[in-house]
């Protein structure tokens, strides 16, 4: 018990490991890790299609060197590939995943206007992984398909994919690492600059700017639980400060799991248009696909915004490491690079001269690609091709789901889990039309007040140091929650992921927490009745 206060000083993701150890040592309860964001659901049809496609691709490869009978194949040349694909799908049409594969060819040709044969050839070569990624930023047809998916999900419309470029990367974490690195290398930010961060936020996005190589001055743009986790006008108006170089936000937020409302989006848009045409915005929208009628800053402030999106949560693909960086063709990043002082341009000319004759023509997104491989290895840059193909199949699965059956099922699952948790806890379910509900924040003071009274809530707050209560919860119930304060939240709360456990386990969490609260309330009464 005496170690709790010392351990409570750790950052939330280091703290998590200590909480798991404590919860695992509880002999009376099974450990329930509600702190993980990794979902326990996943999209199966596009995965099945991936494996069937692999079998077809292997047979295409075996058309070469077949006379040798030594398990050797060649790179498919594409001649007759459409006819053989149709024969393959006809022979296996009883399999839903093969029917889906066949439908993608029709959809790509008829709905997206892309060449079917080129699409098939890209799928086959890509899943075989028999070539380097060319172009290294992303395969051409794949980029178009993923662009359609992102634009539909991030803006609710099919905007022109010709206006967007995508860099396929190893998950959202790689995207953030690459972006911060290239912003600095291209003199768009420098050590000690001010950056604004929408709070609370996923902790690494607080920690990365504090590293020695960046040492950014952080300006907090605070959202408020009492304002349904939206930013007030006064907080957003901090962005008018011309010394702030970058505004970073997660939308929908983590851990609050709430999307920006129209007022916030419009306020940011007006600030950019009227005061900060030079402001760089980075938005991480990984949870946007769980929201109703989602709109990204990428569509609201297109020229200023870098979009980071990961396929990890929505498709249950954290282990695949599938992420994207998207930037509109007309963007302030390229404008800023063109306006750099001569000495910086000369330095960048030396940096990138080995990969392009006129460095001024190298867009920021292609500098990201080069920087991701220390420039000299630009010719072997790019996300592995089988990963890109799975990304394409995920995208087509969502695009072709006209009734949003998959999306609606996931929303129903996580909201049922939320309702069960709060019902067993004995308190009302938070109501917010902008909430995505991938996570829920258990406001410890509000829960204590609703279960008992405000005096008990005050006693809880004053008698436990920062994060200490979470160690007690882990030790006494076997439940792992992450503290909201570790994400920059201003009030005592615990983040519960509604994605990674089954409904009965959320019922157990609710019951155990309610039982623990009752035991603490009895202790509170004994102390105060003396």
């Amino acid at each position: 018990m005496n170690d709790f206060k010392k351990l409570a000083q750790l950052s939330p993701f280091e703290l998590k490991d200590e909480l798991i150890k404590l919860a695992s040592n509880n002999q009376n309860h099974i450990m329930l890790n509600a702190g993980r964001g990794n979902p326990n659901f996943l999209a199966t049809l596009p995965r099945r299609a991936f494996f069937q496609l692999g079998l077809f691709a292997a047979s295409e490869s075996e058309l070469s060197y077949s006379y040798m009978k030594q398990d050797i194949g060649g790179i498919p040349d594409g001649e007759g590939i459409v006819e053989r694909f149709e024969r393959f799908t006809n022979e296996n049409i009883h399999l839903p995943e093969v029917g889906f594969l066949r439908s993608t060819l029709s959809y790509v040709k008829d709905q997206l206007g892309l060449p079917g044969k080129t699409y098939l050839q890209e799928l086959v070569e890509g899943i075989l992984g028999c070539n380097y990624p060319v172009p290294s930023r992303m395969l051409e047809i794949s980029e178009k398909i993923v662009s359609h998916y992102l634009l539909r999900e991030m803006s609710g419309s099919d905007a022109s994919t010709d206006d967007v470029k995508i860099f396929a990367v190893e998950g959202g974490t790689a995207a953030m690492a690459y972006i911060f690195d290239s912003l600095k290398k291209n003199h768009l930010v420098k050590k000690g600059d001010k950056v604004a961060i929408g709070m609370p936020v996923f902790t690494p996005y607080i920690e990365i700017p504090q590293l020695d190589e960046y040492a950014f001055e952080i300006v907090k743009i605070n959202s408020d639980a009492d304002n349904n986790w939206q930013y007030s006008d006064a907080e957003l108006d901090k962005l008018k400060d011309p010394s702030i170089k970058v505004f970073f936000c997660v939308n929908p937020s983590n851990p609050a799991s709430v999307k920006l409302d129209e007022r916030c989006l419009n306020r940011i848009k007006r600030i950019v248009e009227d005061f900060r045409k030079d402001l760089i915005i980075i938005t991480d929208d990984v949870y946007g696909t769980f929201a109703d009628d989602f709109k990204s800053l990428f569509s609201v402030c297109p020229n200023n915004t870098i979009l980071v999106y990961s396929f990890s949560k929505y498709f249950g693909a954290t282990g695949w490491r599938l992420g994207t960086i998207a930037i509109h063709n007309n963007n302030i990043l390229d404008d800023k690079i063109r306006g750099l002082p001569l000495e910086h341009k000369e330095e960048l000319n030396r940096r990138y001269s080995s990969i392009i004759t006129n460095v001024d023509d190298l867009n920021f997104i292609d500098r990201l690609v080069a920087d991701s491989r220390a420039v000299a290895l630009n010719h072997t840059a790019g996300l592995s091709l089988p990963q890109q193909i799975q990304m394409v199949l995920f995208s087509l699965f969502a695009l072709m789901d006209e009734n949003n059956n998959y999306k609606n099922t996931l929303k129903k699952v996580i909201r049922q889990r939320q309702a069960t948790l709060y019902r067993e806890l004995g308190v009302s379910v938070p109501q917010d039309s902008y909430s995505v509900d991938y996570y829920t924040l258990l406001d410890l003071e509000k829960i204590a007040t609703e279960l008992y009274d405000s005096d008990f809530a005050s006693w809880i707050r004053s008698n436990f140091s920062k994060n200490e209560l979470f160690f007690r919860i882990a030790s006494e119930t076997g439940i792992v929650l992450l503290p909201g304060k570790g994400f920059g939240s201003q009030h005592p709360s615990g983040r519960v992921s509604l994605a990674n456990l089954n409904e009965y386990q959320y019922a157990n969490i609710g019951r155990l927490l309610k039982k623990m609260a009752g035991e603490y309330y009895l202790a509170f009464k004994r102390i105060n009745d003396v």
Side-chain angles (χ1 to χ4, degrees):
M1 288 293 193
N2 292 333
D3 292 334
F4 287 171
K5 292 183 180 180
K6 183 186 297 184
L7 292 170
Q9 304 307 310
L10 294 172
S11 69
F13 291 98
E14 299 300 326
L15 181 148
K16 172 199 67 178
D17 295 333
E18 298 297 330
L19 291 171
I20 289 172
K21 288 178 189 175
L22 268 178
S24 299
N25 290 333
N26 188 302
Q27 300 300 312
N28 299 316
H29 300 287
I30 297 173
M31 193 266 285
L32 293 172
N33 184 0
R36 297 190 71 200
N38 192 98
N40 66 353
F41 47 74
L42 53 87
T44 56
L45 185 63
R47 281 177 166 86
R48 287 179 174 273
F50 180 88
F51 296 125
Q52 289 291 341
L53 177 63
L55 294 174
F56 173 74
S59 67
E60 284 292 293
S61 173
E62 288 165 351
L63 293 175
S64 301
Y65 302 108
S66 59
Y67 63 93
M68 299 182 70
K69 301 186 184 303
Q70 295 296 323
D71 297 322
I72 297 174
I75 298 176
D77 63 12
E79 188 64 34
I81 190 172
V82 174
E83 292 77 14
R84 287 190 297 276
F85 179 77
E86 289 176 348
R87 185 162 61 249
F88 170 80
T89 54
N90 281 336
E91 291 171 353
N92 297 280
I93 199 64
H94 60 285
L95 298 172
E97 61 270 26
V98 173
F100 167 70
L101 272 179
R102 182 173 183 170
S103 297
T104 67
L105 177 60
S106 173
Y107 184 86
V108 164
K109 290 191 303 181
D110 301 339
Q111 300 301 314
L112 304 185
L114 300 171
K117 180 181 177 182
T118 307
Y119 163 70
L120 277 182
Q121 183 71 12
E122 191 167 289
L123 285 186
V124 166
E125 285 192 29
I127 203 166
L128 290 171
C130 54
N131 278 317
Y132 288 113
V134 178
S136 53
R137 181 161 50 77
M138 192 170 189
L139 296 175
E140 290 182 2
I141 299 294
S142 298
E143 182 180 16
K144 288 291 185 186
I145 293 169
V146 174
S147 293
H148 277 284
Y149 167 71
L150 289 179
L151 288 171
R152 179 178 295 185
E153 293 293 345
M154 298 299 106
S155 63
S157 65
D158 288 317
S160 174
T161 58
D162 293 334
D163 295 335
V164 174
K165 287 186 173 66
I166 295 178
F167 177 20
V169 296
E170 304 88 342
T173 50
M176 291 307 304
Y178 293 158
I179 290 168
F180 274 106
D181 183 56
S182 283
L183 286 174
K184 186 166 184 254
K185 283 186 166 63
N186 285 276
H187 300 284
L188 299 178
V189 294
K190 65 180 184 300
K191 196 170 183 177
D193 273 349
K194 283 184 182 180
V195 298
I197 302 179
M199 305 286 275
V201 72
F202 183 52
T203 314
Y205 299 153
I206 303 173
E207 297 171 342
I208 291 172
Q210 296 175 344
L211 295 173
D212 286 344
E213 57 261 46
Y214 303 115
F216 294 141
E217 179 183 342
I218 295 175
V219 177
K220 296 180 180 180
I221 311 295
N222 293 306
S223 62
D224 188 354
D226 293 330
N227 191 31
N228 295 326
W229 295 109
Q230 300 295 332
Y231 305 115
S232 68
D233 288 353
E235 286 294 311
L236 289 175
D237 284 348
K238 294 177 183 177
L239 297 174
K240 294 178 182 179
D241 178 356
S243 64
I244 292 175
K245 303 298 183 184
V246 180
F247 171 46
F248 175 77
C249 79
V250 176
N251 179 32
S253 55
N254 177 7
S257 204
V258 173
K259 70 175 183 176
L260 295 180
D261 62 16
E262 287 296 322
R263 180 193 56 79
C264 280
L265 292 171
N266 290 332
R267 187 77 176 188
I268 295 169
K269 180 179 181 179
R270 289 199 301 273
I271 289 170
V272 168
E273 290 177 348
D274 297 341
F275 301 95
R276 294 303 315 278
K277 287 184 171 65
D278 63 328
L279 181 65
I280 298 169
I281 299 173
I282 305 171
T283 184
D284 181 344
D285 293 356
V286 62
Y287 304 106
T289 37
F290 292 92
D292 298 324
D293 303 318
F294 180 69
K295 186 179 291 185
S296 170
L297 285 168
F298 188 64
S299 65
V300 174
C301 303
N303 296 340
N304 296 70
T305 303
I306 303 171
L307 170 66
V308 173
Y309 177 78
S310 167
F311 288 72
S312 60
K313 303 299 194 297
Y314 189 56
F315 297 98
T318 53
W320 258 113
R321 315 311 296 142
L322 305 179
T324 54
I325 301 170
I327 302 177
H328 284 87
N329 291 340
N330 295 321
N331 62 81
I332 57 152
L333 299 136
D334 293 336
D335 293 343
K336 284 173 176 282
I337 289 171
R338 284 190 288 269
L340 287 172
L342 181 60
E343 63 269 25
H344 289 336
K345 283 190 172 183
E346 290 175 346
E347 176 198 325
L348 293 173
N349 283 340
R350 291 192 298 272
R351 178 174 180 80
Y352 299 112
S353 61
S354 64
I355 63 172
I356 190 170
T357 55
N358 184 3
V359 174
D360 288 344
D361 292 338
L362 191 65
N363 294 328
F364 177 75
I365 196 165
D366 291 311
R367 294 175 188 230
L368 276 170
V369 179
D371 292 336
S372 74
R373 297 297 182 269
V375 182
L377 294 168
N378 181 65
H379 64 291
T380 56
L383 183 67
S384 85
L385 297 187
Q387 286 174 282
Q388 292 193 41
I389 299 310
Q390 182 67 90
M391 193 185 296
V392 165
L393 293 175
F394 282 148
S395 297
L396 287 169
F397 172 65
L399 286 167
M400 294 166 63
D401 185 7
E402 293 182 353
N403 295 320
N404 285 325
N405 293 324
Y406 179 76
K407 177 177 289 193
N408 292 333
T409 298
L410 294 191
K411 289 179 182 178
K412 182 178 179 181
V413 165
I414 58 178
R415 286 168 181 166
Q416 282 180 339
R417 292 172 178 178
Q418 181 191 45
T420 298
L421 169 67
Y422 281 91
R423 182 189 69 237
E424 296 300 325
L425 184 53
V427 297
S428 55
V429 179
Q431 299 297 319
D432 183 357
S433 61
Y434 290 92
S435 179
V436 178
D437 302 319
Y438 191 91
Y439 303 109
T440 188
L441 275 177
L442 297 179
D443 187 320
L444 301 181
E445 286 191 72
K446 285 185 178 179
I447 290 171
T449 301
E450 189 170 344
L451 285 176
Y452 297 103
D453 54 49
S454 58
D455 291 338
F456 175 55
S458 298
W459 180 80
I460 287 286
R461 182 163 192 170
S462 61
N463 278 272
F464 297 100
S465 63
K466 175 187 174 184
N467 296 337
E468 183 183 349
L469 191 57
F470 298 97
F471 285 97
R472 293 184 179 274
I473 289 171
S475 176
E476 296 173 27
T477 69
I479 296 169
V480 176
L481 307 178
L482 291 187
K485 283 194 173 182
F487 297 83
S489 174
Q490 300 302 304
H491 72 112
S493 59
R495 190 191 81 168
V496 177
S497 168
L498 294 168
N500 72 316
L501 297 172
N502 293 314
E503 190 170 338
Y504 78 92
Q505 292 170 307
Y506 290 104
N508 287 340
I509 289 172
R511 284 193 290 269
L512 288 168
L513 290 178
K514 183 177 182 179
K515 180 175 180 289
M516 183 180 178
E519 292 168 354
Y520 275 71
Y521 182 70
L522 289 176
F524 162 73
K525 292 292 287 182
R526 282 195 300 270
I527 292 169
N528 287 276
D529 288 345
V530 173

